[in-house]
């Protein structure tokens, strides 16, 4: 061991004896310069700074950098984060602490006659410790914030799922509503939405954010989560817009108080199914679909009507869907030949031929009210699968 190392060891011994004094100096520097640290309990602050001093002094003694895990304990970062101390402030506080240690180190070195090149080498070592600490603090903060976001997402999704199933009521509902900023005295609309083009987490999240942030009245909070492939939640009573370019169906229930919101969710689910059967992007409420929400509840009736009106059309892959789409447009346009022909881009005589062909194949008359009702029902029930 050369004379320089012996002198540095003596400096380290002196610093070890001064750990309490160095800690106090660093506490005062941090407390005065960083306002956010004013909420940190003094005992916790002293303990963390003392750890920083010990790690830095040990790095000088070893002549090597510490492991990142030795610089910052995750529990300390979590405690600071919960108190509102930002990552920038925590890094700044660590730099101030190291600056105090470096000042003490350099003064002791000069007092003992340590060569300038040795002082510079160990001062650079302390700056390197600061760099490692900055990276460690940033990474730990990021991981903690991600974990916090995921926790909030799980709580939100669990809340809307239980709310939609009617599993919350009384004091429990009041507690959860308060946690999410919802008012038991306000009306909310239940919403259930789904993409038309299959599973896509990114587009589903975009749809969720649009529903949660772009609807509602002034001072009305909306909470929308993701349950399975659906966006599910409660929004203000204003009708939402379909976000572009997201192709989705948004089903809305009637406005009710939170205590009765499960009923609104039931309606929203039925409305959504109607929209999905149609296969077109839409925002729909019960007013838009009326009797169509009841179609899915009568499977045997639908099968009977399918055999009566659709099976006779044959299995021609080209003509069968043309007839069905013609009937769909004809009924949607109030049985107007002109309007239907215009929508389908065909001549009126072509349209009349198709309708007559349908009557011929099925043996029914499109002038019968019962037939019109039954055809409307089966076309609605089969949806785009029969197109």
């Amino acid at each position: 061991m050369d004379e320089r190392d012996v002198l540095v060891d003596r400096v380290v011994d002196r610093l070890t004896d001064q750990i309490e004094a160095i800690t106090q100096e660093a506490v005062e520097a941090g407390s005065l310069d960083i306002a956010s640290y004013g909420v940190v309990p003094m005992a916790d602050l002293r303990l963390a700074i003392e750890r920083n001093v010990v790690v830095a002094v040990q790095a000088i003694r070893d002549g090597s950098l510490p492991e990142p895990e030795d610089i910052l304990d995750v529990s300390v970062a979590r405690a600071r984060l919960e108190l509102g101390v930002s990552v920038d402030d925590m890094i700044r506080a660590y730099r101030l602490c190291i600056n105090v240690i470096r000042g003490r180190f350099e003064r002791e070195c000069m007092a003992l006659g340590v060569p300038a090149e040795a002082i510079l080498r160990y001062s650079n070592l302390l700056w390197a410790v600061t760099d490692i600490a900055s990276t460690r603090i940033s990474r730990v903060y990021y991981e903690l914030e991600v974990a916090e976001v995921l926790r909030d997402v799980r709580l939100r999704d669990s809340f809307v799922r239980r709310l939609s199933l009617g599993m919350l009521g009384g004091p429990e509902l009041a507690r959860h509503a308060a946690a999410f900023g919802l008012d038991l005295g306000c009306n909310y609309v239940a919403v259930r939405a789904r993409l038309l083009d299959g599973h896509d987490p990114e587009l589903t999240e975009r749809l969720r954010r649009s529903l949660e942030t772009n609807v509602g009245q002034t001072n009305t909070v909306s909470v929308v989560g993701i349950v399975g492939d659906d966006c599910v939640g409660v929004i203000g009573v204003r009708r939402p817009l379909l976000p572009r370019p997201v192709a989705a169906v948004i089903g809305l229930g009637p406005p009710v108080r939170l205590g009765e919101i499960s009923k609104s969710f039931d309606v929203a689910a039925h409305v959504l199914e109607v929209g999905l059967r149609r296969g077109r992007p839409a925002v729909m409420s019960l007013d838009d679909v009326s009797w169509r929400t009841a179609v899915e509840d009568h499977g045997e009736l639908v099968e009977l009507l399918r055999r009566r009106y659709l099976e006779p059309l044959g299995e021609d892959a080209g003509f069968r869907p043309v007839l069905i789409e013609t009937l769909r447009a004809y009924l949607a346009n109030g049985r107007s030949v002109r309007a239907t022909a215009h929508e389908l881009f065909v001549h009126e005589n072509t349209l009349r031929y198709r309708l007559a062909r349908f009557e011929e194949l099925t043996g029914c008359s499109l002038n019968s009210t019962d037939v019109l009702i039954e055809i409307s029902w089966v076309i609605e029930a089969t949806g785009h699968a029969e197109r």
Side-chain angles (χ1 to χ4, degrees):
M1 182 181 295
D2 61 24
E3 183 179 358
R4 288 178 302 180
D5 292 333
V6 171
L7 291 174
V8 170
D9 279 348
R10 289 177 59 188
V11 170
V12 171
D13 289 340
R14 289 193 178 190
L15 292 177
T16 301
D17 293 338
Q18 298 174 35
I19 283 179
E20 185 175 346
I22 297 172
T23 299
Q24 178 59 33
E25 185 179 347
V27 166
E28 293 173 357
S31 298
L32 291 175
D33 290 354
I34 305 177
S36 65
Y37 268 73
V39 300
V40 179
M42 185 56 66
D44 293 348
L45 187 59
R46 279 185 169 278
L47 194 62
I49 290 179
E50 183 176 334
R51 174 190 175 122
N52 296 342
V53 174
V54 170
V55 170
V57 171
Q58 188 62 44
I60 298 172
R61 185 184 296 279
D62 297 339
S64 61
L65 294 173
E67 294 296 326
E69 293 77 12
D70 295 331
I71 290 179
L72 174 67
D73 187 89
V74 174
S75 62
V76 174
R78 181 180 292 108
R80 299 292 182 271
L81 186 61
E82 290 174 352
L83 289 173
V85 177
S86 69
V87 61
D88 291 335
D89 280 354
M90 194 167 185
I91 291 174
R92 185 182 173 199
Y94 196 93
R95 288 182 178 275
L96 285 172
C97 182
I98 292 295
N99 199 39
V100 170
I101 298 168
R102 186 176 58 81
R104 289 272 184 147
F105 170 75
E106 291 177 355
R107 289 196 296 271
E108 292 295 340
C109 283
M110 287 186 287
L112 291 176
V114 176
E117 63 270 21
I119 297 176
L120 179 60
R121 185 178 68 189
Y122 286 101
S123 291
N124 288 337
L125 176 68
L126 289 175
W127 285 124
V129 171
T130 303
D131 291 339
I132 293 176
S134 298
T135 301
R136 168 70 172 168
I137 293 169
S138 297
R139 179 171 298 174
V140 169
Y141 254 62
Y142 173 76
E143 291 173 353
L144 289 173
E145 288 174 342
V146 168
E148 183 71 11
V149 168
L150 291 176
R151 185 186 72 87
D152 289 345
V153 167
R154 287 194 295 270
L155 289 175
R156 181 202 66 204
D157 292 351
S158 175
F159 168 68
V160 296
R161 182 184 64 82
R162 297 178 66 196
L163 193 63
S164 68
L165 295 173
M167 298 173 62
L168 294 175
E172 188 178 16
L173 173 60
R175 186 171 64 253
H176 282 80
F180 286 95
L182 300 174
D183 188 342
L184 293 178
C186 288
N187 280 339
Y188 292 91
V189 168
V191 59
R192 195 163 193 121
R194 188 184 306 167
L195 301 178
L196 282 170
D197 300 328
H199 181 70
D200 188 322
E202 183 177 344
L203 288 180
T204 300
E205 174 59 22
R206 186 182 302 181
L207 176 61
R208 186 203 68 77
R209 288 199 304 268
S210 175
L211 289 169
E212 190 172 70
T213 59
N214 296 330
V215 300
Q217 299 170 318
T218 305
N219 299 324
T220 298
V221 175
S222 297
V223 179
V224 181
I226 297 176
V227 180
D229 289 336
D230 291 358
C231 294
V232 179
V234 291
I235 61 177
V237 298
R238 186 183 305 167
R239 191 179 181 93
L241 299 175
L242 190 65
R244 296 181 179 179
V246 179
V249 175
I250 300 173
L252 305 174
V256 294
R257 295 289 197 266
L258 278 180
E260 301 176 343
I261 200 67
S262 62
K263 299 176 183 177
S264 185
F265 274 114
D266 289 342
V267 174
H270 288 301
V271 172
L272 174 63
E273 290 304 320
V274 173
L276 292 173
R277 286 199 299 268
R278 292 185 175 185
R280 299 188 298 271
V283 179
M284 308 172 72
S285 67
L286 190 58
D287 289 340
D288 302 309
V289 299
S290 63
W291 57 268
R292 295 171 180 84
T293 59
V295 168
E296 63 177 308
D297 294 331
H298 301 278
E300 293 181 1
L301 173 60
V302 171
E303 180 57 26
L304 171 66
L305 297 179
R306 192 186 67 79
R307 291 195 302 267
R308 179 178 297 173
Y309 295 109
L310 301 185
E311 283 188 2
L313 302 184
E315 299 301 329
D316 187 323
F319 195 55
R320 176 188 175 105
V322 168
L323 283 182
I324 294 175
E325 185 58 33
T326 298
L327 287 167
R328 188 191 308 277
Y330 181 62
L331 295 171
N333 284 283
R335 301 169 64 198
S336 167
V337 172
R338 176 175 295 180
T340 305
H342 178 75
E343 178 182 329
L344 297 177
F345 301 103
V346 298
H347 194 276
E348 291 183 16
N349 288 337
T350 300
L351 176 64
R352 291 189 179 95
Y353 166 76
R354 292 180 184 177
L355 297 176
R357 183 59 176 159
F358 173 80
E359 290 181 322
E360 179 185 345
L361 290 171
T362 60
C364 70
S365 171
L366 290 175
N367 291 320
S368 167
T369 300
D370 286 345
V371 169
L372 294 176
I373 292 173
E374 290 175 347
I375 292 173
S376 298
W377 191 285
V378 72
I379 288 179
E380 179 64 35
T382 55
H384 54 80
E386 287 284 357
R387 294 183 186 180

